[in-house]
């Protein structure tokens, strides 16, 4: 059983069903459950809707409204908790939704069942779960996910590693059997280690990005090219070449939330981190530095018409949470620019936040007419492989602002476009 049908829970449920497990996904949102029963996924994640359809057709994947209905349809051996854990007021993870999900299960759990933290929860939460349950015949384990939105299905089916944390061998063995189909190494450890490993991984990745972005800022000042530095640094096997791409900062619902929550976990335990908070501060400033670049190009942004390609925080997702694109658009609007934007998947999500403060294109081309420059803020393939000859002929001024450092700058320059980014 999987509790919560968001990005994490639904991928978990549909992928496990695809591997032959009998799965029921439970949610308390009736509209979501009805739509899922019809095979419709209420958000975009590549490959997920197909997998959900196949799961329903095979009979391996079912949906239920609320825990009571779920337990009537299936008696699970394992229950995965995959509900939201947003940032609370002090930066810590807000566990209120998670807590009420745990408590809603109490009447239905039978002795020997394993309750698994799949949501990202601070180290030590497992102990709280045992208190909320108020019984000792249920095992509580941690099995963090390392999925990226946009590639979550393939990340799940071909993971680098499976991390399982529990305090007894029987629980570890039970959870290992859930992943018996998987070739990746299964790393078993105590529950606190598994909980903390998830925060460690995300904080490490976010730190790497903020550090590279700071190096890009310095590169700009001395006329160095950050793309070349990225290649030079990444060639060191101790560092590795992945996750070094710089630009206008990182986004998404995970890095900012988890980095702040790790800082707060330390603080709650009496440890004041020196290194964690600046990861977020650098990232926030990066969008501002990028907007300064746009401002420099025009002198003044008041009345400037700009086209934006990309609103989602990552390609292949419709998720705009903490998206650098949204941050940048808000800053540009404050400076008096007018914006027309297009994203292959995230238009509806963006509209919820930006409303009628910008105009929305039907495709990526229409918004270029009359625009004095183009900002590329999400690395969708359709943007990277676009015909920039057409872009060059359509824009009023040949200015491209690359917020993701993903465009072939040399080719664009050969076409007569000026490519502007941080450290490029
Ligand atoms: C991240 C982690 O990568 C996953 O391992 C983890 O499971 C997930 O958080 C989570 O905690 O659920 P996600 O935020 O979905 O995944 O997506 P990423 O691909 O990591 O991208 C995050 C942000 O970093 C994006 O804005 C992306 O554009 C940016 N990024 C990524 C860069 O700026 N440079 C890079 O080299 C890579």
């Amino acid at each position: 059983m999987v509790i919560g049908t968001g990005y994490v829970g639904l991928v978990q449920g549909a992928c496990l069903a695809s591997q032959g497990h009998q799965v029921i996904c439970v949610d308390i949102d009736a509209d979501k459950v009805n739509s899922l029963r019809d095979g419709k996924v209420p958000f975009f994640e590549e490959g997920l809707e197909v997998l959900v359809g196949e799961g329903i057709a095979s009979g391996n994947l079912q949906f239920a409204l609320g825990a009571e209905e779920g337990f009537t349809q299936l008696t699970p051996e394992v229950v995965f908790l995959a509900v939201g854990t947003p940032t609370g007021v002090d930066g810590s993870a807000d566990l209120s939704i998670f807590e009420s999900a745990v408590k809603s299960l109490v009447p239905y759990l039978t002795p020997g069942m394993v309750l698994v933290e799949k949501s990202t929860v601070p180290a030590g939460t497992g102990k709280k779960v045992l208190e909320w349950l108020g019984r000792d015949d249920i095992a509580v384990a941690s099995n963090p996910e390392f999925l990226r939105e946009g590639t979550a299905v393939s990340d799940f089916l071909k993971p680098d590693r499976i991390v399982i944390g529990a305090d007894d061998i029987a629980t570890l063995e039970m959870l290992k059997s859930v992943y018996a189909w998987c070739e990746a190494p299964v790393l078993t450890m105590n529950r606190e280690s598994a909980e903390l490993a998830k925060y460690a991984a995300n904080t490490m990745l976010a730190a790497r990005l903020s550090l590279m972005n700071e190096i890009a800022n310095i590169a700009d000042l001395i006329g160095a090219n950050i793309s070349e530095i990225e290649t030079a640094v990444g060639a060191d096997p101790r560092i590795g070449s992945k996750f070094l791409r710089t630009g206008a900062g990182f986004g998404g619902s995970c890095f900012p939330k988890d980095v702040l929550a790790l800082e707060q976990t330390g603080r709650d335990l009496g440890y004041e981190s020196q290194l964690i908070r600046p990861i977020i501060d650098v990232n926030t400033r990066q969008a501002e530095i990028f907007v300064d670049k746009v401002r420099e190009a025009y002198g003044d942004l008041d009345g400037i018409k700009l086209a934006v390609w990309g609103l989602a925080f990552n390609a292949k997702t419709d998720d705009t949470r903490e998206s650098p694109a949204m941050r940048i658009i808000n800053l540009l609007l404050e400076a008096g620019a007018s914006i027309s934007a297009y994203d292959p998947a995230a238009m509806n999500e963006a509209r919820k936040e930006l409303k009628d403060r910008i105009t929305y294109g039907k495709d990526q081309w229409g918004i270029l007419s009359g625009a004095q420059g183009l900002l590329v803020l999400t690395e969708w393939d359709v943007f990277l492989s676009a015909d920039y000859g057409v872009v060059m002929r359509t824009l009023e001024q040949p200015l491209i602002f690359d917020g993701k450092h993903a465009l072939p700058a040399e080719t664009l320059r050969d076409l007569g476009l000026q490519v502007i980014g941080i450290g490029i």
Side-chain angles (χ1 to χ4, degrees):
M1 179 177 289
V2 181
I3 310 294
T5 58
Y7 288 95
V8 173
L10 194 57
V11 171
Q12 175 85 7
C15 287
L16 287 182
S18 78
Q19 298 307 312
H21 289 295
Q22 278 290 319
V23 181
I24 186 151
C25 290
V26 175
D27 206 293
I28 51 171
D29 180 333
D31 289 342
K32 245 184 184 180
V33 171
N34 287 334
S35 136
L36 286 166
R37 280 181 177 138
D38 291 340
K40 291 199 191 77
V41 174
F43 53 87
F44 178 75
E45 180 63 46
E46 199 168 64
L48 186 56
E49 199 157 83
V50 173
L51 220 54
V52 167
E54 288 171 1
I56 294 170
S58 71
N60 282 354
L61 183 62
Q62 302 177 73
F63 297 95
L65 181 60
E68 185 177 359
E69 190 177 293
F71 281 89
T72 320
Q73 284 173 239
L74 186 90
T75 304
E77 291 166 279
V78 180
V79 180
F80 291 96
L81 289 155
V83 296
T85 52
T87 303
V89 271
D90 58 358
S92 63
D94 176 353
L95 293 180
S96 53
I97 305 171
F98 188 79
E99 180 179 347
S100 57
V102 171
K103 289 182 174 166
S104 75
L105 299 173
V106 174
Y108 312 107
L109 294 170
T110 52
M113 282 182 181
V114 178
L115 191 53
V116 186
E117 301 163 341
K118 195 77 203 172
S119 311
T120 301
V121 288
T125 301
K127 286 200 183 83
K128 289 187 185 162
V129 173
L130 284 165
E131 281 167 29
W132 296 331
L133 289 173
R135 50 197 275 193
D136 56 11
D137 56 353
I138 303 295
V140 175
S142 165
N143 170 220
E145 52 84 18
F146 299 101
L147 314 173
R148 288 162 298 173
E149 284 181 32
T151 54
V153 170
S154 54
D155 287 348
F156 189 98
L157 295 173
K158 283 195 183 301
D160 307 316
R161 76 296 204 193
I162 303 284
V163 171
I164 301 173
D167 289 339
D168 64 282
I169 302 288
T171 305
L172 291 171
E173 289 303 321
M174 161 58 85
L175 280 175
K176 274 165 93 174
S177 74
V178 171
Y179 295 101
W181 50 272
C182 177
E183 285 171 12
V186 177
L187 311 176
T188 54
M189 54 194 75
N190 76 18
R191 202 175 46 224
E192 286 74 15
S193 301
E195 290 168 338
L196 194 55
K198 165 69 191 204
Y199 284 93
N202 273 4
T203 304
M204 187 80 80
L205 289 168
R208 189 175 162 91
L209 295 181
S210 277
L211 184 55
M212 272 309 272
N213 277 322
E214 289 226 286
I215 295 167
N217 298 341
I218 296 169
D220 232 1
L221 299 172
I222 47 173
N225 182 332
I226 193 64
S227 304
E228 289 163 2
I229 296 168
E230 187 186 317
T231 311
V233 167
D236 184 332
R238 293 171 303 174
I239 297 173
S241 60
K242 289 185 182 155
F243 244 79
L244 290 176
R245 194 167 33 78
T246 54
F250 60 75
S253 69
C254 302
F255 285 171
K257 167 173 82 73
D258 293 352
V259 169
L260 289 175
L262 179 60
E263 184 193 38
Q264 189 59 38
T265 298
R267 189 170 294 138
D268 290 344
L269 296 165
Y271 180 78
E272 201 58 46
S273 158
Q274 303 299 302
L275 196 55
I276 298 179
R277 170 65 60 145
I279 297 170
I280 298 299
D281 295 342
V282 166
N283 193 52
T284 307
R285 194 180 56 169
Q286 204 63 15
E288 293 160 10
I289 293 175
F290 184 77
V291 169
D292 284 344
K293 289 256 158 195
V294 184
R295 189 180 286 110
E296 263 168 42
Y298 299 100
D300 182 1
L301 284 170
D302 198 24
I304 297 291
K305 291 190 182 119
L306 296 168
V308 169
W309 281 359
L311 296 162
F313 85 94
N314 232 355
K316 299 186 190 166
T317 177
D318 60 356
D319 196 344
T320 56
R321 285 176 291 176
E322 303 280 338
S323 171
M326 305 297 275
R327 213 174 289 143
I328 289 164
I329 288 172
N330 278 312
L331 289 169
L332 293 170
L333 290 173
E334 275 167 33
S338 61
I339 308 286
S340 301
Y342 174 75
D343 186 287
M347 300 295 262
N348 287 340
E349 288 306 309
R351 231 183 231 110
K352 287 181 196 164
E353 180 184 334
L354 296 168
K355 310 228 162 50
D356 59 1
R357 292 189 293 135
I358 68 167
T359 56
Y360 301 88
K362 286 198 175 60
D363 59 39
Q364 73 197 76
W365 298 107
I367 59 174
L368 299 182
S369 311
Q372 290 156 277
L374 169 65
L375 283 71
V376 180
L377 300 181
T378 314
E379 67 280 36
W380 285 95
D381 279 345
V382 282
F383 300 153
L384 306 189
S385 62
D387 184 340
Y388 279 87
V390 176
V391 174
M392 172 71 194
R393 290 193 292 277
T394 317
L395 285 176
E396 291 209 340
Q397 283 175 252
L399 294 176
I400 306 271
F401 301 92
D402 185 356
K404 287 287 179 185
H405 294 181
L407 295 173
E410 285 307 313
T411 314
L412 269 56
R413 284 186 187 124
D414 289 347
L415 291 167
L417 288 158
Q418 197 183 333
V419 184
I420 298 170
I422 302 167
I424 58 169

